[in-house]
Amino acid sequence: MKQLSVIVFFFMSLFLPAQDNLVDSLKKALKIAKHDTTRCNLLNDLAENAGDDEWQGFNSELKKLAEANLKKHQKGTFLYKFYLKHQATSLGNMAVVYADDGNLKKALEYYHKSLEINTELNSKAGMASCLNGLGFIYFGMGNADKALMYGNKSLKLSEEINDRSGVAAANNFIGDVYARKGDIANAVTRYEDNIKIYQELKEDRGLATSYNKMASVYGDQGDVPKAIDFFSKSLAIQSKIGDIQGMSANLYNLGAIYFKQEDYDKALEFYNKSVAINLEQKNQISLAMAYSAIGVLYYNLKDLSKALEYYEKSITTSKETGNKSALAITYFNLGDIYRKKNEMNKALGIYQESLKLYEELEDKDGTSSILFKISDIYMKQKNYGQAAKVGENSLKLSQELGYPYNISQSSLILSRVYSEMGKWKEAYTMHLLHKQMNDSLRSQTSQKAAVRSQFKYEYEKKAAADSIKSIEEKKIARSRLEVSEAKLKQEKTQRIALYGGLCLVLLFAGFMFNRFRVTNRQKKIIEAKEQETQRQNIIISQQKHLVEEKHREITDSINYAERIQRSFMATKELLDEHLKDYFVFFKPKDVVSGDFYWASKLQNDCFILVTADSTGHGVPGAIMSLLNITSLEKAIEHSSDAGEILDHTRQTIINRLKKDGSVEGGKDGMDCSLTMYDFKNRKLYIAAANNPVWIVRGLEVIEVKPDKMPVGKHDKQDISFTRHEFDLKPGDVVYTLTDGYPDQFGGALGKKFMSKNLRSLLSANAHLPMTQQKEILITTFTNWISNLEQVDDVTVIGIRV
């Protein structure tokens, strides 16, 4: 019977809605599961649905379990293939982990292992996923040819099985390779196709990525309005679905746009927001790029020491992750500093390191840019022959790309080099080209025409060829179809003539006989229905009246209970009296709530604020919240120490619930964070039970980790709560919360919002007015939950010191 219960529980868990906490249900099923097949399926589901801090552990357990069972079963059997499939899945997940950590060699190793198994199983979907992953890794390592090979293989497999999401994933990646190689027309075609696919599939995350890529292309082409338009579309979607890392990338991109417009204050603001999120999310690759960009900004502000500081941070981070792209850019920028200091040999060496990386990456834009920098160094060293040779290579690449700025810089260097060499005609030609490009850059209309002429021509030529081919194919198909339709029409007419008369005769005879029988029955049926309808109407009317009356009584009772509960909580008048700048985002799941926030002025002139989550929600949670509040009120009569207050509160709750009738004697209570403010001496005292407290200070986020025990009966109930002490600084923002917001299911995949994403969202907006922060929290929560049900009470409180 126990085995049967495991199976039933497992299948029930598959149909549980997100709001019933699927992850907890899967964990419970895993604890009682006996069979390894069931355990594998449960571990696989947990690896897909668990949070960032748990999924890797479940994946590792899945890998070990699959490998152990492969040794027990004969090759080729059903169970052998079952465990082999789970092994392939876990290896692919491990590859993702290593790629995120920047260990590209390990990621390659695990992708190849997973690909080998998926090939053995003939799983085209699994093979396509692995091939796409391999392409991304080789792309990051600078091997564009191998990256394209794997990307095209993945695309072909996805098209064979009609996997539209797989096609889009391969297209995105292939477009990136083309963009780096300077084949803009092909890149734009891929991104535009993907926008259509993601709109059809209603995949917001993929659509945001495609908008982002289109924005980057237009930004490189100099079309700033279109770039900002696409970035804004992408950012709006990412905010809606809670894609924190995607928001970080867009904040960086917007910083780059403002930097190009020489709005350095605005650019630095966006760059710093991106840095804060990347530090929080531990995304080393994006962090390296952001550090490098801030270094360039300080270089333009002529603060060379600050620029060097950020370049060194970027180089260190890039080397740790093997990120050639970020390293090439930072070497490029570092060379500019030594060139500015007139240390030409040092600058030339660093530029050549950058050139080597750009050539490995097959990045034509970066290569052309670094070449005119090297040409300028050779000219300053009076090595005119080498300066001309390098400058001509730079100009050739710049003209292939159609980038006006690169053409302008290359032609300017060459005009000076040719002048020094006495080649007056060539010097004059280059001078005219430089002037033409500068005029083009000043005019938005001419800029668009000059910048995009080449890739537009290629794109339109390709589109025209495709269109002609399509028309010819349609003509042939139409001709064949017309012949086929004529033949089918003739055959159909003959069949109708043959069977039509017979069918009409049979139908008429059947109709007459049926009408005779029906007419005799209709009168009796109508009379019986009239009597039944009258009886049912009387019953329905009585039941409706009874239900409405009961519903009104229950609603009135709950509304009255809500007024009573609110009278126990902190009032707006009390908070306004003691806090200068704050917000309270309080959203109960039902009318009454297990969450509450309570405040009081203590005898030592400190102001105490408690943000708490009582056991349960709705009516039981609300009753528990009143017990918790009265226990807090009793505790502050005995002590003004944060830790001791929670100790006293816990003891009171345990004593009051001893006689609740349960065997264990009342294990209810609350999770909470208690903050005590001494504004006069700028001190903050904190005691926390299961709920953290976050202090945002500039770009830094200080997390006060809670004691892992509730305020109530528990195994650790004899251990005192920890008191934390902090010196407050002007501008500090203190955030307290319950677990309702991070545990809310939603987004495109129906997963939890997660604590780390909420922390990133708060830290990224901590500089904004508190009312605006509250609006962002409300909007993000509403968009995240979408059509799903709210799973728990939600409370988030922010206080600016």
Side-chain angles (χ1 to χ4, degrees), residues 504-736:
L504 286 172
V505 171
L506 291 172
L507 285 171
F508 181 73
F511 173 76
M512 293 301 295
F513 179 72
N514 185 59
R515 290 308 304 163
F516 177 74
R517 293 175 62 193
V518 168
T519 303
N520 289 332
R521 290 202 306 264
Q522 280 180 341
K523 186 179 179 182
K524 292 180 180 179
I525 292 172
I526 291 170
E527 290 173 352
K529 281 188 176 180
E530 286 177 350
Q531 292 175 359
E532 179 64 20
T533 300
Q534 290 175 359
R535 190 176 68 84
Q536 291 292 334
N537 286 340
I538 294 169
I539 294 171
I540 290 169
S541 178
Q542 291 172 343
Q543 290 177 340
K544 181 183 176 186
H545 177 74
L546 181 62
V547 169
E548 287 175 348
E549 186 64 29
K550 291 295 180 184
H551 182 266
R552 186 162 46 252
E553 290 176 6
I554 293 168
T555 302
D556 289 346
S557 298
I558 291 175
N559 288 333
Y560 184 62
E562 189 271 336
R563 291 198 298 274
I564 294 172
Q565 183 188 23
R566 189 165 287 276
S567 70
F568 278 77
M569 293 165 65
T571 63
K572 186 177 184 299
E573 290 75 19
L574 177 64
L575 296 177
D576 287 345
E577 180 184 351
H578 295 284
L579 302 175
K580 294 179 181 178
D581 197 9
Y582 72 96
F583 73 78
V584 176
F585 176 34
F586 179 62
K587 185 176 176 59
K589 180 182 184 297
D590 304 304
V591 178
V592 288
S593 167
D595 277 16
F596 68 87
Y597 54 98
W598 172 84
S600 180
K601 182 72 175 293
L602 300 181
Q603 295 175 357
N604 61 359
D605 285 335
C606 288
F607 181 70
I608 183 175
L609 174 66
V610 176
T611 307
D613 177 6
S614 306
T615 307
H617 51 74
V619 174
I623 293 172
M624 194 65 216
S625 74
L626 300 185
L627 171 59
N628 292 331
I629 290 172
T630 55
S631 300
L632 281 166
E633 288 172 342
K634 183 177 179 181
I636 62 173
E637 296 174 2
H638 298 280
S639 177
S640 296
D641 178 89
E644 290 179 3
I645 289 173
L646 287 191
D647 292 339
H648 280 291
T649 303
R650 175 173 59 192
Q651 195 54 51
T652 303
I653 291 170
I654 291 171
N655 290 338
R656 286 175 173 174
L657 292 177
K658 274 182 180 178
K659 300 178 181 179
D660 70 342
S662 67
V663 176
E664 296 178 338
K667 295 189 75 173
D668 297 317
M670 63 177 168
D671 297 335
C672 74
S673 50
L674 182 154
T675 52
M676 187 185 299
Y677 296 87
D678 183 351
F679 292 114
K680 183 178 179 181
N681 298 308
R682 290 196 173 277
K683 292 283 187 182
L684 173 64
Y685 304 99
I686 297 172
N690 286 328
N691 288 346
V693 176
W694 298 326
I695 304 169
V696 177
R697 181 171 293 164
L699 297 177
E700 181 187 8
V701 180
I702 302 167
E703 178 171 4
V704 182
K705 294 188 177 180
D707 293 316
K708 293 296 182 181
M709 53 184 177
V711 182
K713 190 176 181 63
H714 189 261
D715 296 340
K716 298 180 181 179
Q717 67 187 46
D718 296 326
I719 301 173
S720 298
F721 284 96
T722 308
R723 187 192 76 156
H724 305 270
E725 181 178 338
F726 291 90
D727 292 321
L728 292 171
K729 294 184 179 180
D732 283 356
V733 185
V734 182
Y735 295 102
T736 57

Side-chain angles (χ1 to χ4, degrees), residues 135-188:
F136 272 111
I137 300 299
Y138 280 114
F139 184 51
M141 295 172 75
N143 193 332
D145 290 335
K146 261 197 171 180
L148 265 181
M149 178 190 75
Y150 282 115
N152 283 319
K153 283 184 177 180
S154 175
L155 178 63
K156 185 179 178 182
L157 283 170
S158 296
E159 287 174 339
E160 285 177 9
I161 59 176
N162 197 28
D163 179 3
R164 300 283 282 163
S165 292
V167 169
N171 259 340
N172 259 338
F173 159 58
I174 294 169
D176 291 347
V177 180
Y178 280 129
R180 180 177 288 177
K181 289 168 74 71
D183 190 347
I184 306 302
N186 255 323
V188 168

Side-chain angles (χ1 to χ4, degrees), residues 15-32:
F15 296 98
L16 281 171
Q19 55 266 33
D20 286 338
N21 204 333
L22 176 62
V23 173
D24 288 343
S25 299
L26 290 169
K27 286 179 183 177
K28 289 174 183 176
L30 183 64
K31 284 182 180 179
I32 59 174

